[in-house]
Amino acid sequence: MAIYHCNISIISRGKGKSAVAAAAYRSGEKITNEWDGETHDFTRKRGVVHTEILLPPHAPPSFSDRAALWNSVELYEKAGNAQLAREIDAALPIELSREEQIRLVREYCSSQFVSRGMCVDFAIHDTDSGNPHCHIMLTMRPLDERGAWAAKSKKEYDLDENGERIRLPSGRYKTHKIDLTGWNDKGNALLWRKAWADISNAYLERAGNAERIDHRSNAERGIDEIPTVHMGVAACQMEKKGIVTEKGELNRNIQKANRLIREIRAQIGKLKEWLAGLLTARETAPEQPPQSPGLANLLMKYLSVQREKSRKYSQSWQRQHAADELKTVAAAVNYLSEHGISTLDELDAALSSVSEQADAIRAGMKTAEQRMKELQKLIEYGRNYQTYKPVQDEYRQIRWKGKQEKFAEARRAELTLWNAANRYLHAHLPEGVKTLPISAWEKEYAALKAQRETEYAKLKGTRSDLSELQNIRRCVDIALRADQPEQTRTRTKRHEQER
């Protein structure tokens, strides 16, 4: 069914990425990057089903050529840490035809980006694996009325209370940067994600499909479930090949727990609704005693009703039926006795207790799962840091610029992984940590994994309790209906069928 996925990221030279390489990969083309002379050939890539470039009115016509567009970006940006392009990747609704998917992406890009002056290069990928998606690359620098690249931002001097420039200890003046396009505003992410959901839903509605997607998080939608982990390309590819990954296993367990939680809450809701109806009926019936009916008496009544119904059958069938019903009632009586439940009021209180216990277990699992996700990242980046640090050390020891650049080009992937790990660990570890405690993280992860399995077993026990309570409900219903006039029984039966 239609799912919501819309991720926004930056293609940055500082992270070892190239806009030309990204465009070549997403379009399945062969393009040479004129900035560094490297040729990126992805003509053998499978699954590229559509590519398209959309331009604002004042863009040069030559930008309709993918190589010309992104080489122009690469050559204009001189900085080693330049932000070259913004990318959005989004899941396409599988309920739409290919033509509808193309029109959806085209309308989204035109209304959200081209209308604001951005050049758009999008590709649709589909390998017939049930995951059609689009990659949208956006230029980050505006074009002026002549079609030339213009400034992204400008600097302004900070002024003191007297309107004078503020001089820094270095002798320079304090400044701040002003964005000239508004494209980098953090609020855009929410607007663009919402627009993707809105336009997708409009296409689904026009196609006569009831499915809808929602850009909001679980918390924003009031869904109190454990969120899954972002898999990433490497883990997804391994899972597709049948290789079980830690991220994949964690996601499967989270999904399994979420399904169980939903099932438990649904059962509790139905039982609470049933009990509320019985208790209300008792209060509004003046001929009924004020005290709550005894469940043991109702179970005995159920036995007698079933025995009376079985008289029309053979004696052998009656014996087998009686034995089965005795087992049912015995199990119910044992459960009620073990839990100190003897009346409908006490059963209502027990249900509230079961609900609170399930919520407490869920809360504990959510905390554990969140920490496990954090540990997965720390372990992954920690291993990458250790694995590729010798490559980084060798790179730093090279003194000749040409030789260093050649080494960086040959070992680009390893250096990129080390830099990503270094940035993440620097941001998430306390200052002064010299030795990465990877073994300690792994032990903590294993302990949390065992804790999660224990808590899941507790949830399954809760579901077993609810199954027994559902069985008691069935017996009680049959016993109560036996005392009702025929007309009332017919009405009750019809109401239950409708429910």
Coordinates of all heavy atoms in Angstrom, one line a residue, residues 373-403:
K373 N 18.8 2.1 19.0 CA 19.1 2.8 17.7 C 20.3 3.7 17.9 O 21.1 3.8 17.0 CB 17.9 3.6 17.3 CG 16.7 2.8 16.8 CD 15.6 3.6 16.1 CE 14.7 4.3 17.1 NZ 13.6 4.9 16.5
E374 N 20.4 4.4 19.0 CA 21.6 5.3 19.3 C 22.8 4.4 19.3 O 23.9 4.8 18.7 CB 21.4 6.0 20.6 CG 20.2 7.0 20.6 CD 19.9 7.5 22.0 OE1 20.6 7.1 22.9 OE2 19.0 8.4 22.1
L375 N 22.8 3.3 20.0 CA 24.0 2.4 20.1 C 24.4 1.9 18.7 O 25.6 1.8 18.4 CB 23.7 1.3 21.0 CG 23.7 1.7 22.5 CD1 23.1 0.5 23.4 CD2 25.1 2.1 23.0
Q376 N 23.4 1.5 17.9 CA 23.7 1.1 16.5 C 24.6 2.1 15.8 O 25.5 1.7 15.1 CB 22.4 0.7 15.8 CG 21.9 -0.7 15.9 CD 20.8 -1.0 14.9 OE1 20.3 -0.1 14.3 NE2 20.5 -2.3 14.9
K377 N 24.2 3.4 15.9 CA 24.9 4.4 15.2 C 26.3 4.6 15.7 O 27.3 4.7 15.0 CB 24.1 5.7 15.2 CG 22.9 5.8 14.3 CD 22.4 7.2 14.3 CE 21.2 7.4 13.4 NZ 20.7 8.7 13.3
L378 N 26.4 4.6 17.1 CA 27.7 4.7 17.7 C 28.6 3.6 17.3 O 29.8 3.8 17.0 CB 27.5 4.8 19.2 CG 26.9 6.1 19.8 CD1 26.6 5.9 21.3 CD2 27.9 7.2 19.6
I379 N 28.1 2.4 17.3 CA 28.9 1.2 17.0 C 29.3 1.3 15.5 O 30.5 1.0 15.2 CB 28.1 -0.1 17.3 CG1 27.9 -0.3 18.8 CG2 28.9 -1.3 16.7 CD1 26.9 -1.4 19.2
E380 N 28.4 1.6 14.6 CA 28.7 1.7 13.2 C 29.8 2.7 12.9 O 30.8 2.4 12.2 CB 27.4 2.0 12.4 CG 27.6 2.1 10.9 CD 26.4 2.6 10.2 OE1 25.3 2.7 10.8 OE2 26.5 2.8 9.0
Y381 N 29.5 3.9 13.5 CA 30.5 5.0 13.2 C 31.8 4.7 13.9 O 32.9 5.1 13.4 CB 29.9 6.3 13.6 CG 28.9 6.9 12.6 CD1 27.6 7.0 13.0 CD2 29.3 7.3 11.3 CE1 26.7 7.5 12.0 CE2 28.4 7.8 10.4 CZ 27.1 7.9 10.8 OH 26.2 8.4 9.9
G382 N 31.8 4.1 15.1 CA 33.0 3.8 15.8 C 33.8 2.8 15.1 O 35.1 3.0 15.0
R383 N 33.2 1.8 14.5 CA 34.0 0.8 13.7 C 34.6 1.5 12.4 O 35.7 1.2 12.1 CB 33.1 -0.3 13.3 CG 32.7 -1.3 14.5 CD 31.7 -2.3 14.0 NE 31.3 -3.2 15.1 CZ 30.2 -4.0 15.1 NH1 29.4 -3.9 14.0 NH2 30.0 -4.8 16.1
N384 N 33.8 2.3 11.8 CA 34.3 3.0 10.6 C 35.5 3.9 10.9 O 36.4 4.0 10.2 CB 33.2 3.8 9.9 CG 32.2 3.0 9.2 OD1 32.4 1.8 8.9 ND2 31.1 3.6 8.8
Y385 N 35.4 4.6 12.1 CA 36.4 5.5 12.5 C 37.7 4.7 12.7 O 38.8 5.1 12.2 CB 36.1 6.1 13.8 CG 37.1 7.1 14.3 CD1 37.0 8.5 14.0 CD2 38.1 6.7 15.2 CE1 38.0 9.4 14.5 CE2 39.1 7.6 15.6 CZ 39.0 8.9 15.3 OH 39.9 9.8 15.7
Q386 N 37.7 3.5 13.4 CA 38.8 2.7 13.6 C 39.4 2.1 12.4 O 40.6 2.0 12.1 CB 38.5 1.7 14.7 CG 38.3 2.2 16.1 CD 38.1 1.1 17.1 OE1 37.6 0.0 16.7 NE2 38.3 1.4 18.4
T387 N 38.5 1.6 11.5 CA 38.9 0.9 10.3 C 39.6 1.8 9.3 O 40.6 1.4 8.7 CB 37.6 0.3 9.6 OG1 37.0 -0.6 10.5 CG2 38.1 -0.4 8.3
Y388 N 39.1 3.1 9.2 CA 39.6 3.9 8.1 C 40.6 5.0 8.7 O 41.1 5.9 7.9 CB 38.5 4.6 7.4 CG 37.6 3.6 6.7 CD1 36.3 3.4 7.1 CD2 38.1 2.7 5.8 CE1 35.4 2.5 6.6 CE2 37.3 1.7 5.2 CZ 35.9 1.6 5.6 OH 35.1 0.7 5.0
K389 N 40.9 5.0 10.0 CA 41.8 6.0 10.5 C 43.2 5.9 9.9 O 43.8 6.9 9.7 CB 41.9 5.9 12.1 CG 42.6 7.1 12.7 CD 42.5 7.0 14.2 CE 43.1 8.3 14.8 NZ 44.4 8.7 14.3
P390 N 43.7 4.6 9.7 CA 45.0 4.6 9.1 C 45.1 5.2 7.7 O 46.1 5.8 7.3 CB 45.3 3.0 8.9 CG 44.4 2.5 10.0 CD 43.2 3.3 10.1
V391 N 43.9 5.2 6.9 CA 43.9 5.8 5.6 C 43.9 7.3 5.8 O 44.6 8.0 5.1 CB 42.6 5.4 4.9 CG1 42.5 6.1 3.5 CG2 42.5 3.9 4.7
Q392 N 43.2 7.8 6.8 CA 43.2 9.3 7.1 C 44.5 9.7 7.5 O 45.0 10.8 7.1 CB 42.1 9.6 8.1 CG 42.1 11.0 8.6 CD 41.6 12.0 7.6 OE1 41.1 11.6 6.6 NE2 41.8 13.3 7.9
D393 N 45.2 8.9 8.4 CA 46.6 9.3 8.9 C 47.6 9.4 7.7 O 48.4 10.3 7.6 CB 47.0 8.3 9.9 CG 46.2 8.4 11.2 OD1 45.6 9.4 11.4 OD2 46.3 7.4 12.0
E394 N 47.5 8.4 6.8 CA 48.3 8.4 5.6 C 48.1 9.6 4.8 O 49.1 10.2 4.2 CB 48.1 7.1 4.8 CG 49.1 6.9 3.7 CD 48.9 5.6 3.0 OE1 48.1 4.7 3.5 OE2 49.6 5.4 1.9
Y395 N 46.8 9.9 4.6 CA 46.5 11.1 3.8 C 47.1 12.4 4.4 O 47.6 13.2 3.7 CB 45.0 11.2 3.7 CG 44.4 12.5 3.1 CD1 44.5 12.7 1.7 CD2 43.9 13.5 3.9 CE1 44.0 13.9 1.2 CE2 43.4 14.7 3.4 CZ 43.5 14.9 2.0 OH 43.0 16.1 1.5
R396 N 47.0 12.5 5.7 CA 47.5 13.7 6.3 C 49.0 13.8 6.3 O 49.6 14.9 6.3 CB 47.1 13.8 7.8 CG 45.6 14.1 8.0 CD 45.2 14.1 9.4 NE 43.9 14.6 9.7 CZ 43.3 14.7 10.9 NH1 44.0 14.3 11.9 NH2 42.1 15.2 11.0
Q397 N 49.7 12.7 6.2 CA 51.2 12.7 6.2 C 51.8 13.1 4.8 O 53.0 13.4 4.7 CB 51.7 11.3 6.6 CG 51.4 11.1 8.1 CD 51.7 9.6 8.5 OE1 52.2 8.8 7.6 NE2 51.5 9.2 9.7
I398 N 50.9 13.1 3.8 CA 51.4 13.4 2.5 C 51.6 14.9 2.4 O 50.7 15.7 2.6 CB 50.4 12.9 1.4 CG1 50.3 11.4 1.4 CG2 50.9 13.4 0.0 CD1 49.2 10.8 0.5
R399 N 52.8 15.4 2.0 CA 53.1 16.8 2.0 C 52.9 17.5 0.6 O 52.6 18.6 0.6 CB 54.5 17.0 2.5 CG 54.8 16.6 3.9 CD 54.1 17.6 4.9 NE 54.2 17.2 6.2 CZ 53.2 16.7 6.9 NH1 52.0 16.5 6.4 NH2 53.3 16.3 8.2
W400 N 53.0 16.7 -0.4 CA 52.9 17.3 -1.8 C 51.4 17.3 -2.1 O 50.7 16.3 -2.1 CB 53.6 16.4 -2.8 CG 55.1 16.4 -2.6 CD1 55.9 15.5 -1.9 CD2 56.0 17.4 -3.0 NE1 57.2 15.8 -1.9 CE2 57.3 17.0 -2.5 CE3 55.9 18.7 -3.7 CZ2 58.4 17.8 -2.7 CZ3 57.0 19.4 -3.9 CH2 58.3 19.0 -3.4
K401 N 50.9 18.5 -2.5 CA 49.5 18.7 -2.8 C 49.0 17.8 -3.9 O 47.9 17.2 -3.8 CB 49.2 20.2 -3.2 CG 47.8 20.5 -3.3 CD 47.5 22.0 -3.6 CE 46.0 22.3 -3.8 NZ 45.8 23.7 -4.1
G402 N 49.8 17.7 -5.0 CA 49.3 16.9 -6.1 C 49.2 15.4 -5.7 O 48.2 14.7 -6.1
K403 N 50.2 14.9 -5.0 CA 50.2 13.6 -4.5 C 49.0 13.3 -3.6 O 48.4 12.3 -3.6 CB 51.5 13.2 -3.9 CG 51.7 11.7 -3.5 CD 53.1 11.5 -3.0 CE 53.2 10.0 -2.7 NZ 54.6 9.7 -2.1

